[in-house]
Amino acid sequence: MNNAEFTKLRGWITQILFVFLAMLHIISGIWGSPTALAFRHLFLGSMMIIVLMSRPFNKKHMVLSNVLDFTMAGLVFVIVIYVLKDLNAYMMRAGLPLISDIIAGTIYLLILLELARRVAGMPMVIIAVFFFTQNCVAQYMPGFFRRANMSYTSMIDFVFMRTDGIFGMPVQVISTYVVLFMMFAALLEESGAGKFFIDFATSVTGKSKGGPAKAAVIASASFGTISGSAIANVAGTGSITIPLMKEVGYDKTFAGAVEAVASTGGQIMPPMMGATAFILAQNVNMPYIEVAKRALIPALLYFVCVFFIVDYRARRLNLHGIPESERPNLKETLKMGWQLVIPLVVIVYLMAIGKSAQYSALMAMFVLVAITFFRKWTRMDGSGILRGLTNGVKDTASVAITAAAAGIIIGGVTNTGLNLLFANQVLKISGGYMFTTLILIAVVSLVLGMGMTTSAVYISVATIMAPALVKLGINPLCAHLFVFYFGCICVITPPVALASFTAAGISGASPSSTGWTSFRIGLVAFLVPFIFVYEPVMLLYGSAGEIALVIVTSLIGCKALAAAIEGWFLCELKIYERIMLFAAGICMMIPGWQTDLIGAALFVASYLLQKRKSERGDK
């Protein structure tokens, strides 16, 4: 076979597995899944083969890639059959593995690490290998890593044959309901929901100053509910919003940065916050809908601050909106697509009344398919439905591999209690001070994020360092959301800012300058996690009055921060005025009457100074 024939074969294999997994999860969701270990082996084995077929070892040397990838795919298939052919006997051998089990586990582990390198980067592989190896040579390790060794056989048994390592909680979450949510999201996008959200946002904000940038913020927040991926959001909405922003007068760097920051917010925006949020919910032993509810205020503050920034930039540049003839009509847009919101309402309602995430996602899919038949432009035929379902499986593949590789890390650190020792060490390095500990964890998350996905960063850091925050008395949800936020915003943090680089490719701006501008625009995302750790009322831990006060003061704080970041309020800001407004914003966002009073005083003083300058016509 030549390379073209191998490429065609790769495509056929992936399509067959896409359909197989889509049907497997729908059937399992309706009638129940088989034994947990069997289901996870079928799921992960299929995902590994999908990644092997869709991401060649080396695209420049396809002959070598075909040999390696098809060999590894064959080995994965054989290992899955080996496990499933006598599953009961295999499970009974846990703790006393045969030599064939060790060989199968070793091969499986090596292939998984190679696939983790392809989808999550070398940092993930290095961390996984370190913690696996550390258990085997612990007596030779320095400092708190030193302990009694575990045999290589015991480690393979632990991470491969049980449901504690590779097939542990992250893969369990991904395989049971995250994949269903991804299938629902892909179906929603196939139905035209992405276009509806963009048209809706443009019709609402297009008339105002700098309307396309505001539309990008709203569209990205909406589109994030069906994507959960910053880069996918940039590609999905940026191809429309970035050219519009440039057309009305925003420079290409700012246009790309706005889209990157807004799209990144999709991962933190309820009701669907991406795959990582489901793993977070499992980690804190909380229903996903509860996590989404408590994460709402910080997410809204993020988008409100970005919205204010683009508004101030538009006012400073005296930009205009989109001409009426070029923007969608709001009434017509709602008339054509309002029904596409129904499945999102269904999914939130079902989870709110206590239905499982798996059931909620399935019902939402059925409702979505049904309502699309009421409009010609949303109607999906059999091929469209199948394409949506298989795209959802495809979008889950890299997350599944990341979760499985993270299982090696989790197995390595929890098997010997190393995670608790890490927590103690982090506290020792930080001197037990909460702020120092938070800074340390934020930096580690951002550094790891240079070469890893959000889910990889979150799982790795949360496993090792979140216990340190909990030991300091921090609410577990606050601790895990803190790590989650920094795992998300690493894609707009230089020097490696993947969402910003993607947006720069669309806008034609410098990736580096777009990255730094994104960092500046998204600054609130770096501040909010510190605030809700110190004052959990922002996560709805408090009375109705306290929560209402936090919402009001935080919105004012966002306005002050946005003005300070952009350098414009009622007119151009002097440096001391920017400092005053920045301090006002921080104080207003920190819950507590003392900080609110200080922030309000600074905000009012800044407003009066600006009003006086504006009336005099000062620049």
Side-chain angles (χ1 to χ4, degrees), residues 424-447:
N424 291 332
Q425 193 67 16
V426 169
L427 294 177
K428 184 178 178 181
I429 293 171
S430 64
Y433 294 105
M434 186 184 295
F435 184 74
T436 312
T437 305
L438 292 172
I439 290 291
L440 177 63
I441 293 174
V443 170
V444 170
S445 299
L446 293 175
V447 171

Side-chain angles (χ1 to χ4, degrees), residues 33-198:
S33 58
T35 306
L37 192 60
F39 187 73
R40 293 176 203 179
H41 265 282
L42 277 173
F43 170 78
L44 187 57
S46 299
M47 286 298 191
M48 289 172 73
I49 295 173
I50 285 171
V51 174
L52 283 165
M53 294 297 101
S54 59
R55 299 195 181 207
F57 175 74
N58 190 324
K59 290 182 180 180
K60 294 181 180 179
H61 300 91
M62 285 305 298
V63 174
L64 174 63
S65 294
N66 287 329
V67 171
L68 289 175
D69 292 343
F70 278 92
T71 299
M72 287 189 283
L75 288 170
V76 170
F77 180 78
V78 169
I79 291 170
V80 172
I81 297 300
Y82 168 78
V83 171
L84 298 183
K85 70 179 177 63
D86 194 354
L87 184 64
N88 288 333
Y90 176 81
M91 293 170 66
M92 291 294 290
R93 294 198 301 271
L96 294 169
L98 302 176
I99 186 64
S100 56
D101 298 329
I102 303 305
I103 293 171
T106 300
I107 294 171
Y108 198 91
L109 186 67
L110 291 172
I111 294 173
L112 177 60
L113 289 171
E114 163 57 18
L115 296 180
R117 180 193 66 81
R118 299 187 194 186
V119 303
M122 278 305 295
M124 185 73 171
V125 177
I126 292 169
I127 295 171
V129 170
F130 173 81
F131 285 113
F132 181 92
T133 307
Q134 186 271 334
N135 280 267
C136 298
V137 296
Q139 70 183 62
Y140 305 109
M141 298 289 285
F144 71 94
F145 288 107
R146 180 173 295 174
R147 59 187 56 252
N149 286 349
M150 282 189 70
S151 68
Y152 178 79
T153 297
S154 297
M155 279 303 296
I156 289 292
D157 170 62
F158 188 78
V159 301
F160 176 67
M161 297 187 69
R162 303 168 187 261
T163 54
D164 297 304
I166 293 172
F167 300 99
M169 183 273 293
V171 166
Q172 178 250 321
V173 173
I174 301 297
S175 64
T176 50
Y177 48 86
V178 168
V179 66
L180 288 171
F181 273 82
M182 298 295 273
M183 288 160 62
F184 167 69
L187 273 175
L188 197 58
E189 191 171 353
E190 185 69 27
S191 72
K195 181 181 184 304
F196 166 70
F197 287 135
I198 293 172

Side-chain angles (χ1 to χ4, degrees), residues 127 426 429 434-452 457 461 465 469 482-487 489-490 493-496 519 526 529-530:
I127 295 171
V426 169
I429 293 171
M434 186 184 295
F435 184 74
T436 312
T437 305
L438 292 172
I439 290 291
L440 177 63
I441 293 174
V443 170
V444 170
S445 299
L446 293 175
V447 171
L448 286 177
M450 293 180 189
M452 293 166 66
V457 173
V461 179
M465 293 189 168
L469 296 179
F482 182 88
V483 177
F484 174 63
Y485 259 66
F486 281 96
I489 58 180
C490 62
T493 307
V496 181
F519 175 81
F526 295 84
F530 287 90

Side-chain angles (χ1 to χ4, degrees), residues 530-554:
F530 287 90
I531 294 171
F532 64 60
V533 163
Y534 279 95
E535 293 291 348
V537 69
M538 189 174 279
L539 300 185
L540 308 183
Y541 288 107
S543 66
E546 289 173 328
I547 293 168
L549 182 62
V550 162
I551 292 173
V552 172
T553 56
S554 294

Side-chain angles (χ1 to χ4, degrees), residues 245-419:
M245 282 189 267
K246 291 167 64 179
E247 189 176 314
V248 298
Y250 287 107
D251 66 80
K252 57 187 178 181
T253 299
F254 188 83
V258 167
E259 181 57 48
V261 174
S263 292
T264 298
Q267 296 181 94
I268 62 173
M269 186 66 187
M272 292 173 62
M273 301 161 62
T276 310
F278 289 92
I279 299 173
L280 184 153
Q282 195 80 6
N283 278 338
V284 297
N285 195 28
M286 183 180 287
Y288 171 77
I289 191 65
E290 184 73 10
V291 171
K293 180 182 76 174
R294 295 190 181 279
L296 182 60
I297 292 179
L300 289 176
L301 293 180
Y302 178 92
F303 282 104
V304 166
C305 191
V306 177
F307 190 92
F308 282 141
I309 287 173
V310 299
D311 180 64
Y312 285 135
R313 172 64 65 102
R315 293 177 185 280
R316 189 171 74 178
L317 300 177
N318 195 28
L319 303 182
H320 300 289
I322 305 171
E324 186 175 357
S325 60
E326 297 179 20
R327 66 176 184 267
N329 179 273
L330 177 59
K331 186 177 179 180
E332 286 300 313
T333 299
L334 289 173
K335 182 180 177 182
M336 292 296 292
W338 68 269
Q339 72 278 6
L340 292 174
V341 179
I342 294 175
L344 290 170
V345 175
V346 168
I347 212 167
V348 172
Y349 171 75
L350 289 175
M351 288 194 292
I353 63 173
K355 298 296 183 181
S356 70
Q358 192 175 19
Y359 175 85
S360 302
L362 271 174
M363 290 301 103
M365 277 195 278
F366 293 146
V367 170
L368 172 62
V369 171
I371 65 169
T372 58
F373 284 94
F374 290 94
R375 289 284 189 275
K376 184 177 180 180
W377 75 274
T378 63
R379 192 173 301 147
M380 294 183 288
D381 56 17
S383 62
I385 295 171
L386 186 61
R387 185 165 54 248
L389 293 174
T390 55
N391 282 343
V393 175
K394 180 181 178 181
D395 294 340
T396 313
S398 60
V399 181
I401 299 299
T402 301
I408 302 172
I409 300 171
I410 294 171
V413 300
T414 60
N415 189 31
T416 55
L418 201 57
N419 56 331

